[in-house]
Amino acid sequence: MKKLGAALLTGVLLFSIAGGSLAKGPAPKEKEADVSLQVTELVEVVYEGESVELEAVTKKKGSSYDVKWSFKELGSEEDSSDKGTLEEGETNLVTLPLEEGSEELADFYVSEASFTGLVPGTYEITASVVMQAGKSHVSFVGNDSVEQEFKESEAVAALTGFVAKNFVVTETRNPRGNITGYNVTYDLFAQYDNGTEELYQSDVSGSLSQNQLSKNESITIDGVKYTYVISRP
């Protein structure tokens, strides 16, 4: 009897263990999700400190959706977390054509994000998506990445002065017809420390007395006074 009781107890334990395993259900299955990531506004050149807008589009599967964004600097083994900022935006469920040009429609998740490169370099930005179907224990997993280069900002040229050009001179006369002076119209150009000039103001008016061939004029920008010369031929 003792041996029979032990055998029965062993059978009960084995059945309980097997039953417990069955109660846990099937192991979760993982399938591929199709994720398409793109920069929404293409700009020819992006400089450090500027941002690019991103959009991840994923065909809906399952009953839940989660997206995680990440980035890294390509060609660098250092931690990239302080070289850029990644701000997650909204996720919306929208109805779109199943394929480009197709009349068949489907539901898609559209997730938005904004990435700013704080340091010059090429960055890889990734959107990783997980969707789950609760009852079937299936997970749909996918990701996509884009590369974006951020160039070093161009140095801002410093203003060094002004120069007057393109003079148009007209005489002023008294009732007797004698010259009393000259009205001078000119274009005023700003000069910079990189050797370039830029039109600051056109058709500026000035005057010269009868005996003056030239004189100094001035303009004040941000509290700094700049002097330039106007003249007549």
Side-chain angles (χ1 to χ4, degrees):
M1 284 297 291
K2 289 184 179 180
K3 291 183 178 180
L4 179 61
L8 289 173
L9 180 59
T10 302
V12 171
L13 288 173
L14 289 173
F15 179 79
S16 299
I17 293 171
S21 298
L22 291 174
K24 292 181 180 178
K29 298 178 181 179
E30 191 172 287
K31 295 185 178 182
E32 185 177 352
D34 185 16
V35 182
S36 176
L37 178 61
Q38 62 182 359
V39 177
T40 57
E41 296 182 8
L42 294 177
V43 181
E44 185 175 353
V45 180
V46 183
Y47 294 101
E48 59 180 313
E50 296 181 341
S51 301
V52 292
E53 302 302 318
L54 304 158
E55 186 177 80
V57 180
T58 309
K59 186 177 182 296
K60 181 181 182 298
K61 294 181 179 180
S63 56
S64 67
Y65 170 90
D66 182 61
V67 60
K68 295 188 183 301
W69 295 87
S70 61
F71 72 92
K72 65 179 180 180
E73 183 185 12
L74 296 179
S76 175
E77 297 181 357
E78 301 177 355
D79 180 17
S80 302
S81 60
D82 61 345
K83 297 183 178 181
T85 58
L86 188 55
E87 295 185 7
E88 297 186 22
E90 296 181 346
T91 292
N92 295 295
L93 185 62
V94 300
T95 302
L96 299 171
L98 186 60
E99 296 178 356
E100 186 175 355
S102 172
E103 295 183 358
E104 185 178 357
L105 302 178
D107 290 335
F108 289 82
Y109 290 105
V110 179
S111 297
E112 299 174 348
S114 176
F115 177 73
T116 304
L118 303 178
V119 177
T122 300
Y123 296 86
E124 182 181 72
I125 305 107
T126 301
S128 302
V129 170
V130 177
M131 296 176 289
Q132 293 182 332
K135 292 184 179 180
S136 61
H137 301 280
V138 175
S139 296
F140 301 91
V141 179
N143 63 75
D144 195 20
S145 301
V146 294
E147 295 180 9
Q148 179 64 56
E149 181 183 7
F150 290 81
K151 293 191 174 182
E152 185 175 358
S153 297
E154 296 179 344
V156 178
L159 178 65
T160 58
F162 287 86
V163 61
K165 295 182 177 182
N166 307 326
F167 296 103
V168 177
V169 179
T170 57
E171 300 171 348
T172 59
R173 295 176 179 270
N174 60 22
R176 298 178 183 178
N178 298 324
I179 295 176
T180 58
Y182 302 89
N183 291 325
V184 182
T185 303
Y186 55 92
D187 295 329
L188 187 62
F189 288 80
Q191 296 178 313
Y192 298 92
D193 62 355
N194 61 1
T196 62
E197 293 182 355
E198 181 181 40
L199 179 63
Y200 180 79
Q201 187 176 350
S202 59
D203 297 329
V204 182
S205 297
S207 63
L208 294 170
S209 67
Q210 180 183 4
N211 298 321
Q212 281 183 314
L213 293 176
S214 64
K215 74 173 184 179
N216 291 337
E217 294 281 13
S218 64
I219 183 172
T220 301
I221 305 293
D222 295 331
V224 179
K225 184 178 180 181
Y226 299 91
T227 301
Y228 60 92
V229 178
I230 65 171
S231 62
R232 60 182 176 88

